[in-house]
Amino acid sequence: YALLTRHGLPVPATLVTSDPAIARAFCEAQPGGAVAKPLAGGAEVVWADQAFFADHAAGMARRPFIFQQYVKGRSMRAYLLGGRVVSMGELEYDRSRVDWREHVTSALPHTPEEALATQMSRAVRLLDMPYCGMDVELDAHTGDAYLLDFNPSALYASWGRMVETDMAGMLADYLLGVARGGGIWNT
């Protein structure tokens, strides 16, 4: 997030720490609240609220968390190959949840505006992620897009079925192109 911020890309305010006092101050400074994310995948993203700190403050010294400005609006998932958006969709999920990952009911295909697609491409190039699953949130109040999460090993089979896109075929074509000497970046 620090690298992307330095390059002017739209990411939420983010802090990684194992210090509960610093984390609490950061979270309280976020006007729309903040979420806590595990440093490694697998655990659910949750509100960084009083209950979170009561449950985790004692163990935070052994397990740092990512704390991030909460952005609420339209949730998107995108897949990029070689720096190019090859599939993107708006997610429908249980809006009472902070973390949509286990609660998606459908996804509607979405084409990002050119400016957003350019930002997404710049982000994966800076992160050196020629294959990437990216989560994007379009803020309901400002309309601004935020690049939230970047997954270098994003699962694509269920996504392909959900949006009726041949993700496996696109990935295979991309990899064959790279193997033939086409380079890893398409943009």
Side-chain angles (χ1 to χ4, degrees):
Y1 294 107
L3 175 65
L4 298 175
T5 299
R6 278 196 310 272
H7 285 273
L9 291 164
V11 295
T14 302
L15 171 72
V16 179
T17 188
S18 59
D19 184 316
I22 293 171
R24 230 184 254 271
F26 171 84
C27 294
E28 289 171 359
Q30 304 310 311
V35 295
K37 299 178 176 185
L39 260 171
E44 190 170 15
V45 176
V46 296
W47 280 109
D49 56 11
Q50 296 294 16
F52 171 84
F53 286 105
D55 290 345
H56 294 90
M60 277 183 70
R62 293 183 313 277
R63 182 182 179 207
F65 285 85
I66 300 171
F67 295 94
Q68 199 167 65
Q69 163 194 357
Y70 179 60
V71 181
K72 177 104 172 132
R74 296 170 56 202
S75 300
M76 307 282 175
R77 172 43 83 100
Y79 285 81
L80 290 87
L81 286 172
R84 185 172 55 88
V85 178
V86 296
S87 180
M88 188 168 183
E90 182 172 353
L91 307 171
E92 291 297 323
Y93 64 97
D94 178 354
R95 299 286 175 166
S96 69
R97 305 284 187 155
V98 173
D99 191 343
W100 54 257
R101 290 178 299 172
E102 300 296 323
H103 309 284
V104 174
T105 56
S106 65
L108 302 170
H110 179 82
T111 302
E113 293 180 11
E114 186 176 337
L116 177 57
T118 298
Q119 290 173 330
M120 295 165 71
S121 179
R122 283 184 57 221
V124 296
R125 287 177 75 88
L126 283 166
L127 298 172
D128 198 21
M129 296 173 72
Y131 172 68
C132 180
M134 183 185 299
D135 299 333
V136 177
E137 192 77 15
L138 303 179
D139 186 284
H141 299 291
T142 65
D144 294 337
Y146 288 88
L147 309 180
L148 296 182
D149 290 309
F150 306 84
N151 187 334
S153 58
L155 300 176
Y156 58 85
S158 60
W159 177 260
R161 285 190 298 274
M162 193 178 336
V163 296
E164 298 178 357
T165 299
D166 183 12
M167 289 297 301
M170 285 191 285
L171 185 55
D173 288 344
Y174 168 75
L175 292 172
L176 287 170
V178 170
R180 292 184 186 118
I184 61 172
W185 298 108
N186 293 334
T187 58

